[in-house]
Amino acid sequence: MRTADWIVLMLTLAGIILYGIARSHRSRDIEGYFLSNREMPWYLILLSIMGTQASAITFLSAPGQAFTDGMRFVQYYFGLPLAMIILCITFVPLYHRLRLFTAYEFLETRFDRKTRILTSLIFLVSRALSTGISIYAPSIILSSLLGWDIYLTNIVMGGLLIIYTVNGGARAVAYTQQMILAVVFGGMFLAGAYAVSMLPEGIGFQEALHISGRLGRFNVITTGFSEEGFDWTDRYNLLSGSIGGFFLALSYFGTDHSQVGRYLTARSIRESRMGLLINGLVKVPMQFLILLTGTMVFAFYQFHESPLHFNRVAVDQVMSSSYRDSVQQLQAAHAALQEEKRLLVERLGTAVHSGKPAVRDSSLDALAGLQQTEDALRGDMKGYMKAAGVAAANDTNYIFLRFVLDYLPAGLVGLLIAVIFLSAWGSIAAALNSLASCTMVDIHRTFVRQSAGDARELRLSKLYTLVWGLFCVLVAELATDMGSLIEAVNILGSWFYGVILGIFLVAFYLKHVGGGAVFRAAIFGEAVVITMYVTTELAWLWLNVIGAVTVVLAALTLQGWMGKSAPAVHAPKVLDSDP
Amino acid sequence: MPEDTDKPPLLRSWSDWYLLVLGFLLLQVVLYTLLTQTYA
């Protein structure tokens, strides 16, 4: 990094912290601290929802995903818009009218205390671990590419935001997320535009799309069907994205308190709904544009030498293993391929420039053949890395940042590094706020003291935010030494989302089912999800569907066996005394 | 004044929102399919 990059990076990060502090109004109680006195307008809700969902890995991984696998990842979001409407009709009005602090409070009113505490504890454990990993994941990438100390990077990634999150609560989180998104989208747009501007003369945006498309990177819509039928192990296709994505979005936005806590800050039901509905409309096009940046980077690398593996640290590790000779052979084959590719793209450029479509098409076909060989070489390299025990054998998350560091001008590199830090801060700050809120309201008030007075509860809430912040940084520091466990922690979320959604669906729609049945059904559903994960290769999006459906069916069956109907309470009495 | 919790924002009914969202999604699927085919 050059001096200009350091200046841009420091100024951007410092600017966000100062803005967060400036926007922190003094709260008098935990309603002000956790819910910003329920006075936020819809556009802040929208930006807060988006900033909470989009972590650093979103902006590192999505372009890399487009580079290696194409645009089809966008289908993952196809179920989200419909889920937003269901939430707006069912979940949102009930949460608001009950004036809840956390989503899990509702479960005690509807079922019983043990169901509320179980769900809240699942949230606390899974969210804290995944937040720790969302600090560690971008840190390890930055430290590998820039040679930074990983422990220090973890502290900057997960520690500095604690300053404004502890001090300003939900209000500071929402206002900083607004600024963060502006910087993030500005930075991503500049990076994509720069990739296009660095294509050779005569090769514009359209040609870049043709190149990416012919080489299999503009495959936006895929069905998942082949001659053998539907591929249930295929991660991203129209069906898994629409159905699995719908259940995931319903669970994430309806029952994960890091999201519920954002729209509970709205000044009215209408403002919450507006934020969620507009999120449903803009999410797919937004993700399309982020992935498009990756296809532009892919097109760019057709005209510039691309590394066989984008993580140099991982390459050094495999080179010092017993696979050194095999890797050197791969590198030699890759270098020869790059030379062949260089001649072909020169021919392509001339054909485009002089208007010879036949030559252009034959060049693109030949390029597509070379790309298949290159993909196979990259696959072999990863295979050797895995065999050598290299933790970061998959370089998808390194591709975009490698491009940024190698080719973008001074200043813009600093801005893009700031984008990584800030996008991490946006989602981590919301996570800390929600973790502290559940600890205070669901756990502290239940087990320690019902109400300790506004001032004391506020002090405790700030303390819980600080403690969760430090805990998540600690998880990130420990993750540094636990390479292979990282994936397991990431998968943890998909184990629980479906089951938690199932509990909430029973709560909302099956009025005769009581707490005893749903509690047992949740434990059974969890066992089914974990068994499916361990014994099959089912793509993980389907686990959300299986978890939710199993809990609903099991709760119905158990309630039938138990024979005793629960009180037909769809919602507590508070609902009838709406203010 | 209690808020009318059945009334959706901006549009007249939730059916209109379903139509808008599903229509927009369908439009995107068609557009992306065309793009996939055009640039394949």
Side-chain angles (χ1 to χ4, degrees):
Chain A
M1 288 232 302
R2 289 150 285 189
T3 312
D5 295 320
W6 281 108
I7 292 170
V8 171
L9 176 63
M10 299 289 191
L11 285 178
T12 314
L13 298 190
I16 291 294
I17 294 172
L18 291 175
Y19 183 72
I21 293 169
R23 283 293 189 172
S24 308
H25 281 204
R26 185 177 287 275
S27 304
R28 279 178 300 183
D29 53 24
I30 63 168
E31 186 158 23
Y33 185 68
F34 288 129
L35 298 172
S36 200
N37 287 322
R38 304 181 198 261
E39 61 179 17
M40 289 290 184
W42 71 267
Y43 55 88
L44 275 179
I45 303 297
L46 166 68
L47 295 172
S48 200
I49 287 168
M50 290 169 75
T52 300
Q53 190 181 18
S55 68
I57 283 298
T58 308
F59 296 99
L60 285 173
S61 182
Q65 190 79 30
F67 186 101
T68 53
D69 189 46
M71 299 276 292
R72 69 196 185 110
F73 179 67
V74 77
Q75 297 169 115
Y76 170 79
Y77 295 95
F78 279 5
L80 187 146
L82 196 59
M84 294 298 104
I85 301 185
I86 307 280
L87 286 175
C88 286
I89 296 174
T90 315
F91 290 55
V92 173
L94 197 56
Y95 287 168
H96 269 278
R97 291 161 79 182
L98 291 171
R99 296 192 70 78
L100 299 180
F101 275 88
T102 78
Y104 316 112
E105 268 183 290
F106 167 65
L107 296 177
E108 179 168 351
T109 342
R110 170 64 179 83
F111 297 122
D112 49 37
R113 181 163 290 183
K114 68 176 184 300
T115 309
R116 170 191 179 180
I117 300 300
L118 172 75
T119 319
S120 188
L121 284 175
I122 289 174
F123 167 74
L124 287 173
V125 172
S126 60
R127 180 51 60 201
L129 290 176
S130 65
T131 303
I133 297 307
S134 65
I135 295 170
Y136 167 75
S139 295
I140 185 70
I141 295 166
L142 285 176
S143 71
S144 293
L145 293 175
L146 292 159
W148 292 351
D149 178 73
I150 175 67
Y151 296 102
L152 193 62
T153 315
N154 278 333
I155 290 169
V156 177
M157 190 72 73
L160 290 186
L161 69 118
I162 296 176
I163 299 169
Y164 66 78
T165 310
V166 168
N167 191 45
R171 186 182 163 87
V173 171
Y175 275 99
T176 47
Q177 279 173 325
Q178 169 188 257
M179 294 300 283
I180 284 171
L181 279 182
V183 176
V184 166
F185 288 133
M188 291 302 287
F189 174 77
L190 287 174
Y194 211 83
V196 175
S197 76
M198 284 190 294
L199 292 170
E201 201 188 334
I203 306 288
F205 181 66
Q206 279 266 347
E207 285 305 324
L209 289 182
H210 271 295
I211 293 166
S212 301
R214 194 66 67 92
L215 274 53
R217 296 322 195 258
F218 206 69
N219 50 345
V220 193
I221 303 293
T222 55
T223 62
F225 283 97
S226 64
E227 285 172 3
E228 290 102 46
F230 184 71
D231 182 2
W232 291 94
T233 62
D234 183 38
R235 285 185 177 183
Y236 311 115
N237 55 59
L238 202 53
L239 205 61
S240 73
S242 302
I243 300 174
F246 168 77
F247 276 83
L248 177 64
L250 204 56
S251 182
Y252 177 55
F253 288 97
T255 72
D256 186 313
H257 192 61
S258 65
Q259 280 295 356
V260 176
R262 297 319 99 212
Y263 58 79
L264 283 182
T265 62
R267 65 167 71 118
S268 67
I269 296 173
R270 184 181 185 279
E271 303 291 304
S272 282
R273 282 172 166 163
M274 281 283 286
L276 287 164
L277 290 167
I278 305 295
N279 180 50
L281 290 176
V282 300
K283 188 69 192 179
V284 176
M286 185 192 97
Q287 209 59 38
F288 177 84
L289 292 175
I290 295 172
L291 285 163
L292 195 62
T293 309
T295 60
M296 290 301 110
V297 171
F298 176 80
F300 167 86
Y301 271 117
Q302 300 310 307
F303 299 92
H304 298 79
E305 196 165 326
S306 66
L308 184 55
H309 197 276
F310 283 81
N311 182 2
R312 286 178 192 159
V313 174
V315 174
D316 290 344
Q317 286 172 348
V318 76
M319 288 300 275
S320 58
S321 74
S322 58
Y323 294 92
R324 181 191 172 88
D325 292 344
S326 309
V327 170
Q328 277 180 334
Q329 283 175 11
L330 276 185
Q331 285 176 327
H334 184 250
L337 192 103
Q338 291 291 308
E339 180 55 22
E340 221 177 317
K341 203 165 154 184
R342 193 182 62 76
L343 296 172
L344 259 179
V345 293
E346 263 179 27
R347 199 175 80 171
L348 175 69
T350 315
V352 170
H353 207 57
S354 54
K356 292 177 180 167
V359 180
R360 189 199 75 159
D361 285 351
S362 69
S363 303
L364 280 172
D365 287 342
L367 258 182
L370 286 186
Q371 187 60 45
Q372 280 183 356
T373 314
E374 188 169 352
D375 289 344
L377 290 177
R378 281 173 52 79
D380 289 346
M381 181 70 162
K382 285 175 196 168
Y384 285 129
M385 285 180 167
K386 280 179 188 160
V390 175
N394 189 344
D395 64 345
T396 304
N397 295 340
Y398 290 76
I399 293 169
F400 180 63
L401 211 51
R402 179 81 269 158
F403 160 75
V404 167
L405 292 172
D406 288 347
Y407 293 101
L408 295 197
L412 197 49
V413 173
L415 181 69
L416 266 296
I417 302 289
V419 162
I420 305 305
F421 277 107
L422 294 183
S423 47
W425 287 9
S427 61
I428 295 163
L432 297 187
N433 185 257
S434 62
L435 286 167
S437 151
C438 286
T439 311
M440 183 69 224
V441 178
D442 292 330
I443 308 298
H444 184 97
R445 278 185 172 176
T446 303
F447 293 109
V448 184
R449 209 164 171 184
Q450 193 59 35
S451 179
D454 288 345
R456 185 173 156 73
E457 280 197 339
L458 184 62
R459 277 201 306 278
L460 275 170
S461 298
K462 289 185 177 182
L463 181 67
Y464 283 135
T465 310
L466 176 66
V467 169
W468 278 118
L470 296 176
F471 178 80
C472 293
V473 173
L474 184 69
V475 170
E477 300 290 20
L478 292 174
T480 307
D481 306 319
M482 296 194 298
S484 59
L485 285 182
I486 309 294
E487 200 183 356
V489 173
N490 275 333
I491 291 163
L492 210 66
S494 64
W495 284 6
F496 296 119
Y497 270 137
V499 171
I500 294 179
L501 175 63
I503 297 172
F504 274 83
L505 289 178
V506 172
F508 281 114
Y509 296 110
L510 302 175
K511 296 177 187 175
H512 68 288
V513 177
V518 84
F519 188 81
R520 289 171 181 84
I523 291 168
F524 175 69
E526 202 53 74
V528 170
V529 167
I530 293 171
T531 307
M532 291 295 282
Y533 175 78
V534 173
T535 58
T536 70
E537 290 189 355
L538 197 68
W540 65 271
L541 265 176
W542 294 109
L543 293 178
N544 298 293
V545 185
I546 290 168
V549 171
T550 306
V551 171
V552 170
L553 293 179
L556 273 174
T557 312
L558 283 168
Q559 191 63 54
W561 281 344
M562 290 159 85
K564 185 181 150 193
S565 291
V569 192
H570 176 59
K573 288 173 191 164
V574 186
L575 197 63
D576 302 325
S577 55
D578 196 32
Chain B
M1 274 287 286
E3 201 175 350
D4 183 357
T5 53
D6 291 332
K7 195 174 178 297
L10 300 178
L11 302 178
R12 281 176 306 177
S13 68
W14 286 112
S15 305
D16 289 352
W17 267 107
Y18 277 116
L19 278 175
L20 175 71
V21 163
L22 289 174
F24 185 51
L25 199 59
L26 188 68
L27 193 73
Q28 288 179 89
V29 171
V30 170
L31 175 71
Y32 296 150
T33 306
L34 285 174
L35 286 172
T36 303
Q37 287 169 355
T38 306
Y39 293 107

